[in-house]
Amino acid sequence: MNASRNPLCARLGIELPVVLAPLGGESASAALVAAVSNAGGLGILGAAYMTPARMDEVLAEIRSLTDKPFGVNLFCPQEWKCDAAREAAFVAQLSVYHAELGMAAPQIPERFEEDFESQFDTVLKAAPAVFTFTFGDLGRDRIAALQQRGTQVWGTATQVREAVHLASLGVDGIVAQGAEAGAHRGTFLGSRDEGLVGTIALVPQVVDAVKVPVVAAGGIADARGVGAVQALGASAAAAGTVFLLADECPISSAYREALQQGQDHETVMTRAFSGRWARGLDNRFMREFAAAELPDFPIPNALTRPLRQAAGKAGRAEFLSLWAGQAVALSKRAPAAEIVKNLAAGWRDE
Ligand SMILES: Cc1cc2nc3c(=O)[nH]c(=O)nc-3n(C[C@H](O)[C@H](O)[C@H](O)COP(=O)(O)O)c2cc1C
């Protein structure tokens, strides 16, 4: 394709309007981000769960692997409160699973999340080509500070009113995350259900509502999905789930096998692992915690981490957060560069 005719590609200096959507947690990998950028797309690092020191290391590793543009993603700080009774009930429930895996009883960690301001300072210093955020509103001042360092800022919206709000703060692009998407919903206005707008409905309405480029995400897993979002007016296509099966993605074999068997009807919305709504392959943990009164995000996320890590090592997929989007069955094991090429084949010359 002729990248110079796509304004988003031209502005970023990338060849293909294909984005590796940020994948936080165990799937965050310098090798994957660099492979996507080296293949002509834009790799974005999901850094939300990293300490600032770890972010520095991973960013240096990405830079050692590519001189192409790449992005970094963080979660916007959330308001949450401790509720000792809920925490205690959750820990008591979790301890049954710990015992089943032969683990010591769950402990309350020193902190439930990383310090956002330090993470943000790390991004400011690193000045990546793109910074993306989800779960809310980064604030005008932070957006402007990034832009002054030459970083383009994209905010995640799951409905038109969120996109309009983010655009009013001066973002350079909107990631329109449809309901099909794997893992956490970016929704920050209204209820969970209000934020479950499908990609085919969301993208053209966001395109009509804002003046900045729109990056479509949610259910895009092959050239057909990319062609579809181009027709809907998107400036680029972002994919997450399909890259989980990339050779460079360091997920556990239990997670990989579950993804390889996953079907479209098997992903469901859950709060079980983290306290925040997310889409993943249904499993025992989700079912058994479906009715639980959970502490606020990010408390359950921190409390379930040791169990998830042990389950990954033990090959026990029933205790893993098997984040996956509705197009999971279109994903196939391949090098990231091949996945980028397959996706980009759907973008027609502009
Ligand atoms: C395993 C996994 C982890 C994710 N982590 C993040 C994250 O840290 N930050 C974020 O903004 N989005 C995250 N997402 C959402 C993706 O960026 C993107 O919106 C989604 O994957 C697109 O839909 P798809 O999975 O159908 O391709 C994650 C998705 C997956 C599957």
Side-chain angles (χ1 to χ4, degrees), residues 52-108:
R54 179 69 190 140
M55 284 172 70
D56 276 335
E57 279 170 20
V58 178
L59 292 171
E61 198 184 339
I62 296 172
R63 290 202 155 116
S64 75
L65 296 169
T66 185
D67 53 8
K68 297 275 168 60
F70 66 90
V72 179
N73 165 272
L74 290 175
F75 298 159
C76 287
Q78 301 294 291
E79 284 205 2
W80 52 275
K81 51 182 184 325
C82 280
D83 177 331
R86 275 196 190 187
E87 262 168 58
F90 189 66
V91 166
Q93 260 180 298
L94 265 186
S95 48
V96 178
Y97 300 82
H98 275 231
E100 196 175 323
L101 279 181
M103 300 165 64
Q107 302 292 319
I108 304 284

Short mmCIF file of all heavy atoms in Angstrom, two decimals, residues 52-108:
data_model
loop_
_atom_site.label_atom_id
_atom_site.label_comp_id
_atom_site.label_asym_id
_atom_site.label_seq_id
_atom_site.Cartn_x
_atom_site.Cartn_y
_atom_site.Cartn_z
N PRO A 52 7.98 1.25 37.33
CA PRO A 52 8.73 2.17 36.46
C PRO A 52 10.11 1.59 36.09
O PRO A 52 10.56 1.75 34.95
CB PRO A 52 8.85 3.44 37.31
CG PRO A 52 7.62 3.39 38.19
CD PRO A 52 7.41 1.94 38.50
N ALA A 53 10.75 0.90 37.04
CA ALA A 53 12.08 0.33 36.74
C ALA A 53 11.97 -0.73 35.64
O ALA A 53 12.79 -0.79 34.72
CB ALA A 53 12.69 -0.26 38.00
N ARG A 54 10.93 -1.55 35.73
CA ARG A 54 10.71 -2.59 34.70
C ARG A 54 10.38 -1.93 33.36
O ARG A 54 10.83 -2.38 32.30
CB ARG A 54 9.58 -3.52 35.17
CG ARG A 54 9.23 -4.62 34.22
CD ARG A 54 10.33 -5.68 34.12
NE ARG A 54 10.06 -6.61 33.03
CZ ARG A 54 10.96 -7.09 32.20
NH1 ARG A 54 12.24 -6.75 32.32
NH2 ARG A 54 10.64 -7.93 31.26
N MET A 55 9.59 -0.85 33.42
CA MET A 55 9.26 -0.13 32.17
C MET A 55 10.55 0.34 31.49
O MET A 55 10.71 0.18 30.28
CB MET A 55 8.37 1.08 32.46
CG MET A 55 6.92 0.73 32.75
SD MET A 55 5.98 2.16 33.31
CE MET A 55 5.88 3.13 31.81
N ASP A 56 11.47 0.91 32.30
CA ASP A 56 12.75 1.38 31.73
C ASP A 56 13.47 0.24 31.02
O ASP A 56 13.99 0.42 29.91
CB ASP A 56 13.65 1.94 32.84
CG ASP A 56 13.32 3.39 33.16
OD1 ASP A 56 12.77 4.08 32.29
OD2 ASP A 56 13.59 3.80 34.32
N GLU A 57 13.50 -0.92 31.68
CA GLU A 57 14.20 -2.08 31.09
C GLU A 57 13.56 -2.51 29.78
O GLU A 57 14.23 -2.74 28.78
CB GLU A 57 14.10 -3.29 32.03
CG GLU A 57 15.08 -3.31 33.18
CD GLU A 57 14.72 -4.43 34.18
OE1 GLU A 57 14.00 -5.39 33.82
OE2 GLU A 57 15.17 -4.29 35.31
N VAL A 58 12.22 -2.61 29.80
CA VAL A 58 11.52 -3.11 28.61
C VAL A 58 11.63 -2.09 27.46
O VAL A 58 11.82 -2.45 26.30
CB VAL A 58 10.05 -3.46 28.93
CG1 VAL A 58 9.31 -3.94 27.69
CG2 VAL A 58 9.99 -4.54 30.01
N LEU A 59 11.54 -0.82 27.81
CA LEU A 59 11.66 0.21 26.77
C LEU A 59 13.06 0.18 26.14
O LEU A 59 13.22 0.31 24.92
CB LEU A 59 11.36 1.60 27.36
CG LEU A 59 9.89 1.78 27.77
CD1 LEU A 59 9.68 3.07 28.55
CD2 LEU A 59 8.98 1.77 26.55
N ALA A 60 14.08 -0.04 26.99
CA ALA A 60 15.45 -0.14 26.46
C ALA A 60 15.56 -1.36 25.55
O ALA A 60 16.20 -1.31 24.49
CB ALA A 60 16.45 -0.22 27.60
N GLU A 61 14.90 -2.44 25.96
CA GLU A 61 14.96 -3.67 25.14
C GLU A 61 14.28 -3.44 23.79
O GLU A 61 14.80 -3.85 22.74
CB GLU A 61 14.28 -4.81 25.91
CG GLU A 61 14.64 -6.18 25.37
CD GLU A 61 13.88 -7.31 26.08
OE1 GLU A 61 13.40 -7.11 27.21
OE2 GLU A 61 13.75 -8.38 25.45
N ILE A 62 13.12 -2.77 23.82
CA ILE A 62 12.43 -2.48 22.54
C ILE A 62 13.37 -1.68 21.64
O ILE A 62 13.55 -1.98 20.46
CB ILE A 62 11.11 -1.71 22.76
CG1 ILE A 62 10.11 -2.57 23.54
CG2 ILE A 62 10.51 -1.28 21.41
CD1 ILE A 62 8.84 -1.84 23.96
N ARG A 63 14.01 -0.67 22.24
CA ARG A 63 14.90 0.20 21.44
C ARG A 63 16.11 -0.55 20.92
O ARG A 63 16.68 -0.18 19.89
CB ARG A 63 15.29 1.43 22.24
CG ARG A 63 14.09 2.35 22.42
CD ARG A 63 14.46 3.80 22.70
NE ARG A 63 13.38 4.67 22.28
CZ ARG A 63 12.66 5.44 23.10
NH1 ARG A 63 12.93 5.48 24.38
NH2 ARG A 63 11.70 6.20 22.61
N SER A 64 16.50 -1.61 21.63
CA SER A 64 17.63 -2.40 21.13
C SER A 64 17.20 -3.31 19.96
O SER A 64 18.03 -3.80 19.21
CB SER A 64 18.25 -3.23 22.25
OG SER A 64 17.42 -4.34 22.53
N LEU A 65 15.89 -3.52 19.85
CA LEU A 65 15.38 -4.45 18.83
C LEU A 65 14.83 -3.74 17.60
O LEU A 65 14.63 -4.35 16.56
CB LEU A 65 14.28 -5.34 19.43
CG LEU A 65 14.71 -6.29 20.55
CD1 LEU A 65 13.50 -6.92 21.23
CD2 LEU A 65 15.63 -7.37 20.00
N THR A 66 14.50 -2.47 17.75
CA THR A 66 13.94 -1.74 16.59
C THR A 66 14.27 -0.25 16.68
O THR A 66 14.36 0.30 17.79
CB THR A 66 12.40 -1.91 16.50
OG1 THR A 66 11.94 -1.29 15.31
CG2 THR A 66 11.66 -1.30 17.68
N ASP A 67 14.44 0.36 15.51
CA ASP A 67 14.54 1.83 15.51
C ASP A 67 13.26 2.43 14.92
O ASP A 67 13.20 3.61 14.60
CB ASP A 67 15.80 2.30 14.76
CG ASP A 67 15.87 1.71 13.36
OD1 ASP A 67 14.88 1.07 12.93
OD2 ASP A 67 16.92 1.88 12.69
N LYS A 68 12.23 1.61 14.82
CA LYS A 68 10.94 2.07 14.27
C LYS A 68 10.07 2.65 15.40
O LYS A 68 10.29 2.35 16.56
CB LYS A 68 10.20 0.89 13.63
CG LYS A 68 10.92 0.25 12.45
CD LYS A 68 10.59 1.02 11.20
CE LYS A 68 11.44 0.69 10.00
NZ LYS A 68 11.42 -0.66 9.54
N PRO A 69 9.06 3.46 15.02
CA PRO A 69 8.17 4.01 16.05
C PRO A 69 7.39 2.90 16.78
O PRO A 69 7.07 1.88 16.19
CB PRO A 69 7.19 4.88 15.24
CG PRO A 69 7.81 5.08 13.91
CD PRO A 69 8.72 3.91 13.67
N PHE A 70 7.13 3.14 18.06
CA PHE A 70 6.29 2.22 18.84
C PHE A 70 5.53 3.04 19.88
O PHE A 70 5.78 4.24 20.05
CB PHE A 70 7.14 1.12 19.50
CG PHE A 70 8.09 1.62 20.55
CD1 PHE A 70 7.71 1.70 21.88
CD2 PHE A 70 9.38 2.02 20.21
CE1 PHE A 70 8.58 2.18 22.85
CE2 PHE A 70 10.26 2.50 21.17
CZ PHE A 70 9.86 2.58 22.49
N GLY A 71 4.60 2.38 20.56
CA GLY A 71 3.78 3.08 21.54
C GLY A 71 3.85 2.43 22.92
O GLY A 71 4.35 1.31 23.07
N VAL A 72 3.34 3.16 23.91
CA VAL A 72 3.25 2.66 25.29
C VAL A 72 1.83 2.96 25.79
O VAL A 72 1.24 3.97 25.41
CB VAL A 72 4.28 3.35 26.21
CG1 VAL A 72 4.17 2.84 27.65
CG2 VAL A 72 5.71 3.13 25.70
N ASN A 73 1.31 2.07 26.61
CA ASN A 73 -0.05 2.21 27.13
C ASN A 73 -0.08 2.07 28.65
O ASN A 73 0.62 1.23 29.21
CB ASN A 73 -0.93 1.12 26.49
CG ASN A 73 -2.27 0.92 27.19
OD1 ASN A 73 -2.38 0.14 28.13
ND2 ASN A 73 -3.29 1.60 26.73
N LEU A 74 -0.89 2.91 29.29
CA LEU A 74 -1.13 2.78 30.74
C LEU A 74 -2.62 2.88 31.02
O LEU A 74 -3.38 3.41 30.20
CB LEU A 74 -0.41 3.91 31.49
CG LEU A 74 1.11 3.88 31.55
CD1 LEU A 74 1.63 5.16 32.24
CD2 LEU A 74 1.64 2.64 32.28
N PHE A 75 -3.01 2.42 32.19
CA PHE A 75 -4.38 2.61 32.67
C PHE A 75 -4.46 3.98 33.34
O PHE A 75 -3.56 4.34 34.11
CB PHE A 75 -4.74 1.57 33.75
CG PHE A 75 -4.72 0.14 33.30
CD1 PHE A 75 -4.58 -0.87 34.25
CD2 PHE A 75 -4.85 -0.21 31.96
CE1 PHE A 75 -4.59 -2.21 33.87
CE2 PHE A 75 -4.86 -1.55 31.58
CZ PHE A 75 -4.72 -2.55 32.54
N CYS A 76 -5.53 4.72 33.12
CA CYS A 76 -5.74 5.97 33.87
C CYS A 76 -5.99 5.61 35.33
O CYS A 76 -6.63 4.60 35.61
CB CYS A 76 -6.96 6.71 33.36
SG CYS A 76 -6.68 7.46 31.79
N PRO A 77 -5.51 6.44 36.25
CA PRO A 77 -5.74 6.13 37.67
C PRO A 77 -7.24 6.06 37.96
O PRO A 77 -8.02 6.85 37.44
CB PRO A 77 -5.11 7.30 38.41
CG PRO A 77 -4.42 8.12 37.39
CD PRO A 77 -4.79 7.68 36.03
N GLN A 78 -7.60 5.07 38.76
CA GLN A 78 -9.01 4.84 39.10
C GLN A 78 -9.25 5.23 40.54
O GLN A 78 -8.38 5.06 41.37
CB GLN A 78 -9.33 3.34 39.01
CG GLN A 78 -9.09 2.74 37.68
CD GLN A 78 -10.02 3.31 36.66
OE1 GLN A 78 -11.22 3.06 36.71
NE2 GLN A 78 -9.51 4.12 35.78
N GLU A 79 -10.45 5.70 40.82
CA GLU A 79 -10.81 5.88 42.23
C GLU A 79 -11.27 4.54 42.77
O GLU A 79 -12.11 3.89 42.14
CB GLU A 79 -11.96 6.88 42.34
CG GLU A 79 -11.47 8.27 42.13
CD GLU A 79 -12.35 9.30 42.79
OE1 GLU A 79 -13.33 8.94 43.46
OE2 GLU A 79 -12.03 10.47 42.61
N TRP A 80 -10.72 4.12 43.86
CA TRP A 80 -11.19 2.87 44.47
C TRP A 80 -11.01 2.97 45.97
O TRP A 80 -10.23 3.76 46.47
CB TRP A 80 -10.42 1.67 43.93
CG TRP A 80 -8.93 1.75 43.97
CD1 TRP A 80 -8.13 2.34 43.04
CD2 TRP A 80 -8.06 1.26 45.00
NE1 TRP A 80 -6.81 2.23 43.41
CE2 TRP A 80 -6.74 1.57 44.62
CE3 TRP A 80 -8.26 0.58 46.20
CZ2 TRP A 80 -5.63 1.23 45.39
CZ3 TRP A 80 -7.15 0.22 46.97
CH2 TRP A 80 -5.86 0.55 46.55
N LYS A 81 -11.83 2.18 46.66
CA LYS A 81 -11.70 2.22 48.13
C LYS A 81 -11.51 0.82 48.68
O LYS A 81 -11.97 -0.17 48.09
CB LYS A 81 -12.89 2.92 48.77
CG LYS A 81 -14.24 2.43 48.35
CD LYS A 81 -15.32 3.26 49.04
CE LYS A 81 -16.74 2.80 48.77
NZ LYS A 81 -17.09 2.26 47.49
N CYS A 82 -10.80 0.77 49.81
CA CYS A 82 -10.62 -0.52 50.50
C CYS A 82 -11.88 -0.82 51.28
O CYS A 82 -12.49 0.07 51.86
CB CYS A 82 -9.44 -0.43 51.47
SG CYS A 82 -7.87 -0.60 50.63
N ASP A 83 -12.29 -2.07 51.25
CA ASP A 83 -13.43 -2.53 52.05
C ASP A 83 -12.95 -3.81 52.72
O ASP A 83 -12.88 -4.86 52.08
CB ASP A 83 -14.62 -2.75 51.10
CG ASP A 83 -15.84 -3.30 51.82
OD1 ASP A 83 -15.66 -3.99 52.84
OD2 ASP A 83 -16.97 -3.04 51.36
N ALA A 84 -12.56 -3.67 53.99
CA ALA A 84 -11.88 -4.78 54.68
C ALA A 84 -12.72 -6.06 54.67
O ALA A 84 -12.19 -7.15 54.48
CB ALA A 84 -11.55 -4.36 56.10
N ALA A 85 -14.04 -5.90 54.83
CA ALA A 85 -14.90 -7.09 54.90
C ALA A 85 -14.91 -7.81 53.54
O ALA A 85 -14.79 -9.04 53.47
CB ALA A 85 -16.31 -6.68 55.29
N ARG A 86 -15.02 -7.03 52.47
CA ARG A 86 -15.02 -7.66 51.13
C ARG A 86 -13.68 -8.31 50.81
O ARG A 86 -13.62 -9.38 50.23
CB ARG A 86 -15.29 -6.60 50.06
CG ARG A 86 -16.73 -6.37 49.87
CD ARG A 86 -17.01 -5.64 48.60
NE ARG A 86 -18.41 -5.26 48.63
CZ ARG A 86 -19.05 -4.72 47.63
NH1 ARG A 86 -18.43 -4.48 46.51
NH2 ARG A 86 -20.32 -4.43 47.72
N GLU A 87 -12.61 -7.61 51.21
CA GLU A 87 -11.26 -8.17 50.97
C GLU A 87 -11.10 -9.49 51.70
O GLU A 87 -10.62 -10.47 51.13
CB GLU A 87 -10.20 -7.20 51.49
CG GLU A 87 -9.62 -6.32 50.40
CD GLU A 87 -8.82 -5.21 51.04
OE1 GLU A 87 -7.87 -5.50 51.81
OE2 GLU A 87 -9.18 -4.06 50.78
N ALA A 88 -11.56 -9.49 52.96
CA ALA A 88 -11.41 -10.71 53.78
C ALA A 88 -12.22 -11.85 53.17
O ALA A 88 -11.74 -12.99 53.09
CB ALA A 88 -11.85 -10.43 55.20
N ALA A 89 -13.43 -11.54 52.69
CA ALA A 89 -14.27 -12.59 52.09
C ALA A 89 -13.62 -13.12 50.81
O ALA A 89 -13.61 -14.33 50.55
CB ALA A 89 -15.66 -12.03 51.80
N PHE A 90 -13.05 -12.21 50.04
CA PHE A 90 -12.42 -12.61 48.78
C PHE A 90 -11.19 -13.48 49.06
O PHE A 90 -10.98 -14.52 48.44
CB PHE A 90 -12.04 -11.36 47.98
CG PHE A 90 -11.57 -11.65 46.57
CD1 PHE A 90 -12.43 -12.18 45.62
CD2 PHE A 90 -10.26 -11.39 46.19
CE1 PHE A 90 -12.00 -12.46 44.33
CE2 PHE A 90 -9.82 -11.66 44.90
CZ PHE A 90 -10.70 -12.18 43.97
N VAL A 91 -10.38 -13.06 50.04
CA VAL A 91 -9.18 -13.82 50.41
C VAL A 91 -9.59 -15.21 50.91
O VAL A 91 -8.96 -16.22 50.56
CB VAL A 91 -8.36 -13.05 51.48
CG1 VAL A 91 -7.32 -13.96 52.13
CG2 VAL A 91 -7.68 -11.85 50.84
N ALA A 92 -10.67 -15.28 51.69
CA ALA A 92 -11.12 -16.59 52.21
C ALA A 92 -11.51 -17.50 51.04
O ALA A 92 -11.16 -18.69 51.01
CB ALA A 92 -12.29 -16.38 53.16
N GLN A 93 -12.23 -16.93 50.07
CA GLN A 93 -12.63 -17.75 48.90
C GLN A 93 -11.41 -18.20 48.10
O GLN A 93 -11.32 -19.34 47.67
CB GLN A 93 -13.52 -16.91 47.98
CG GLN A 93 -15.00 -17.17 48.13
CD GLN A 93 -15.79 -16.29 47.19
OE1 GLN A 93 -15.73 -15.06 47.30
NE2 GLN A 93 -16.50 -16.89 46.27
N LEU A 94 -10.45 -17.26 47.96
CA LEU A 94 -9.24 -17.57 47.17
C LEU A 94 -8.41 -18.66 47.82
O LEU A 94 -7.76 -19.45 47.13
CB LEU A 94 -8.35 -16.33 47.09
CG LEU A 94 -8.45 -15.40 45.91
CD1 LEU A 94 -7.36 -14.35 46.02
CD2 LEU A 94 -8.34 -16.15 44.59
N SER A 95 -8.43 -18.69 49.16
CA SER A 95 -7.54 -19.64 49.84
C SER A 95 -7.89 -21.09 49.51
O SER A 95 -7.03 -21.95 49.50
CB SER A 95 -7.50 -19.39 51.35
OG SER A 95 -8.79 -19.27 51.81
N VAL A 96 -9.15 -21.34 49.16
CA VAL A 96 -9.55 -22.70 48.77
C VAL A 96 -8.78 -23.11 47.50
O VAL A 96 -8.30 -24.23 47.37
CB VAL A 96 -11.08 -22.73 48.51
CG1 VAL A 96 -11.53 -24.10 48.06
CG2 VAL A 96 -11.84 -22.26 49.74
N TYR A 97 -8.67 -22.16 46.58
CA TYR A 97 -7.98 -22.44 45.30
C TYR A 97 -6.47 -22.56 45.53
O TYR A 97 -5.80 -23.38 44.90
CB TYR A 97 -8.30 -21.35 44.27
CG TYR A 97 -9.77 -21.25 43.99
CD1 TYR A 97 -10.63 -20.53 44.82
CD2 TYR A 97 -10.32 -21.91 42.90
CE1 TYR A 97 -11.98 -20.47 44.58
CE2 TYR A 97 -11.68 -21.85 42.64
CZ TYR A 97 -12.50 -21.12 43.49
OH TYR A 97 -13.84 -21.07 43.23
N HIS A 98 -5.96 -21.70 46.42
CA HIS A 98 -4.53 -21.81 46.76
C HIS A 98 -4.23 -23.21 47.28
O HIS A 98 -3.25 -23.83 46.90
CB HIS A 98 -4.16 -20.76 47.82
CG HIS A 98 -3.83 -19.42 47.23
ND1 HIS A 98 -2.69 -18.73 47.53
CD2 HIS A 98 -4.51 -18.65 46.36
CE1 HIS A 98 -2.67 -17.58 46.87
NE2 HIS A 98 -3.78 -17.50 46.16
N ALA A 99 -5.12 -23.69 48.18
CA ALA A 99 -4.91 -25.01 48.77
C ALA A 99 -4.94 -26.07 47.68
O ALA A 99 -4.12 -27.00 47.66
CB ALA A 99 -5.97 -25.27 49.84
N GLU A 100 -5.86 -25.92 46.74
CA GLU A 100 -5.97 -26.92 45.66
C GLU A 100 -4.68 -27.00 44.84
O GLU A 100 -4.32 -28.06 44.34
CB GLU A 100 -7.17 -26.55 44.77
CG GLU A 100 -7.59 -27.71 43.89
CD GLU A 100 -8.85 -27.41 43.07
OE1 GLU A 100 -9.77 -26.74 43.57
OE2 GLU A 100 -8.88 -27.87 41.91
N LEU A 101 -4.00 -25.85 44.73
CA LEU A 101 -2.73 -25.85 43.96
C LEU A 101 -1.52 -26.07 44.87
O LEU A 101 -0.37 -25.93 44.41
CB LEU A 101 -2.58 -24.53 43.20
CG LEU A 101 -3.34 -24.43 41.88
CD1 LEU A 101 -3.08 -23.09 41.22
CD2 LEU A 101 -2.93 -25.54 40.92
N GLY A 102 -1.76 -26.36 46.14
CA GLY A 102 -0.65 -26.58 47.08
C GLY A 102 0.11 -25.31 47.39
O GLY A 102 1.30 -25.35 47.73
N MET A 103 -0.56 -24.15 47.31
CA MET A 103 0.12 -22.87 47.59
C MET A 103 -0.17 -22.43 49.02
O MET A 103 -1.20 -22.80 49.59
CB MET A 103 -0.42 -21.76 46.66
CG MET A 103 -0.24 -22.02 45.20
SD MET A 103 -1.30 -20.89 44.24
CE MET A 103 -0.61 -19.29 44.66
N ALA A 104 0.72 -21.57 49.57
CA ALA A 104 0.46 -20.97 50.88
C ALA A 104 -0.79 -20.09 50.77
O ALA A 104 -1.16 -19.68 49.67
CB ALA A 104 1.66 -20.13 51.29
N ALA A 105 -1.40 -19.78 51.90
CA ALA A 105 -2.62 -18.96 51.90
C ALA A 105 -2.34 -17.59 51.27
O ALA A 105 -1.22 -17.08 51.38
CB ALA A 105 -3.11 -18.78 53.33
N PRO A 106 -3.34 -16.98 50.61
CA PRO A 106 -3.11 -15.68 49.98
C PRO A 106 -2.76 -14.59 51.01
O PRO A 106 -3.29 -14.60 52.11
CB PRO A 106 -4.44 -15.35 49.30
CG PRO A 106 -5.40 -16.43 49.64
CD PRO A 106 -4.69 -17.49 50.40
N GLN A 107 -1.86 -13.70 50.62
CA GLN A 107 -1.44 -12.60 51.50
C GLN A 107 -1.91 -11.28 50.88
O GLN A 107 -1.98 -11.17 49.66
CB GLN A 107 0.10 -12.52 51.56
CG GLN A 107 0.78 -13.77 52.04
CD GLN A 107 0.50 -14.02 53.50
OE1 GLN A 107 0.50 -13.10 54.31
NE2 GLN A 107 0.21 -15.27 53.85
N ILE A 108 -2.18 -10.31 51.73
CA ILE A 108 -2.49 -8.96 51.21
C ILE A 108 -1.15 -8.35 50.77
O ILE A 108 -0.22 -8.26 51.57
CB ILE A 108 -3.12 -8.06 52.30
CG1 ILE A 108 -4.38 -8.71 52.89
CG2 ILE A 108 -3.38 -6.66 51.77
CD1 ILE A 108 -5.63 -8.66 52.05
#
